[in-house]
């Protein structure tokens, strides 16, 4: 089963997208003392300087359900799990409406019309990407690799 990319920080380096987290440097200070950042891609770790990235952004994946925008946490055998934001959304979906593990609700693929990534800049890095990228629009997957199988 494929799932949407995890929320977090990402960077594009040499045309490839990597997950980044500055806190990872703590573990690599001795191994890579002359670098600013460590990129994570599958099993590889790439030490780089800030100026080497093409773009960097914080990513949050959102699903539009019943006229509410809800962060999408991932997927399992029940479908996509989402987190309502605020009391009104929580009441609508029958959960508290905070972003906690017990406050999620599920929707099947066919019950979600739109899924998109919201990308926001990370201070000190170039931001050369669209701020909103649809993965699924009007019920049609624009990138089939994210579709639940």
């Amino acid at each position: 089963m494929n799932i949407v990319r995890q929320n977090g920080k990402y960077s594009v380096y040499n045309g490839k997208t990597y997950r980044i987290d500055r806190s990872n440097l703590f573990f690599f200070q001795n191994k890579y003392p002359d670098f600013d950042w460590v990129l994570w891609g599958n099993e590889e770790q790439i030490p780089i300087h800030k100026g080497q990235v093409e773009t960097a952004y914080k990513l949050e994946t959102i699903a539009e359900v019943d006229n509410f925008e809800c962060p999408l946490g991932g997927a399992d055998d029940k479908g996509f799990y989402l987190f309502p934001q605020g009391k009104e959304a929580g009441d609508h979906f029958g959960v508290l409406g905070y972003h906690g593990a017990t406050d999620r609700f599920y929707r099947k693929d066919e019950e979600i019309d739109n899924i998109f990534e919201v990308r926001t800049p990370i201070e000190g890095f170039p931001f050369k990407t669209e701020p909103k990228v649809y993965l699924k629009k009007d019920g049609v997957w624009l990138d089939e690799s994210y579709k639940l199988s």
Side-chain angles (χ1 to χ4, degrees):
M1 173 185 315
N2 294 322
I3 62 167
V4 178
R5 283 198 294 176
Q6 288 185 313
N7 295 335
K9 295 177 182 175
Y10 290 85
S11 178
V12 176
Y13 171 71
N14 285 341
K16 188 174 175 186
T17 302
Y18 295 90
R19 189 172 173 90
I20 58 175
D21 184 350
R22 186 154 171 72
S23 66
N24 293 329
L25 282 180
F26 174 78
F27 299 105
F28 294 100
Q29 285 177 340
N30 293 329
K31 191 172 180 180
Y32 307 118
D34 298 326
F35 294 92
D36 300 319
W37 213 269
V38 175
L39 302 178
W40 295 85
N42 293 339
E43 300 298 320
E44 59 187 332
Q45 300 155 6
I46 302 171
I48 63 163
H49 295 290
K50 273 185 170 184
Q52 292 179 278
V53 299
E54 298 160 36
T55 186
Y57 52 88
K58 182 180 174 199
L59 179 139
E60 183 172 31
T61 305
I62 304 292
E64 292 178 354
V65 180
D66 300 342
N67 295 316
F68 290 96
E69 291 186 355
C70 301
L72 193 153
D76 60 25
D77 59 342
K78 297 179 188 176
F80 288 107
Y81 57 89
L82 303 105
F83 299 93
Q85 299 296 287
K87 183 174 177 1
E88 182 182 357
D91 289 347
H92 179 80
F93 295 110
V95 294
L96 292 176
Y98 303 105
H99 201 99
T102 60
D103 297 325
R104 66 183 177 188
F105 67 97
Y106 287 88
R107 287 294 184 264
K108 299 286 185 198
D109 186 353
E110 59 274 6
E111 296 176 294
I112 301 173
D113 287 331
N114 299 311
I115 297 176
F116 56 90
E117 294 178 342
V118 174
R119 300 171 179 185
T120 54
I122 298 173
E123 187 176 342
F125 286 90
F127 183 67
K128 298 176 185 173
T129 185
E130 293 296 319
K132 186 175 187 178
V133 176
Y134 278 90
L135 305 175
K136 183 179 184 183
K137 187 163 176 72
D138 299 326
V140 177
W141 283 97
L142 305 178
D143 184 338
E144 290 283 326
S145 68
Y146 291 112
K147 186 175 181 176
L148 293 179
S149 45

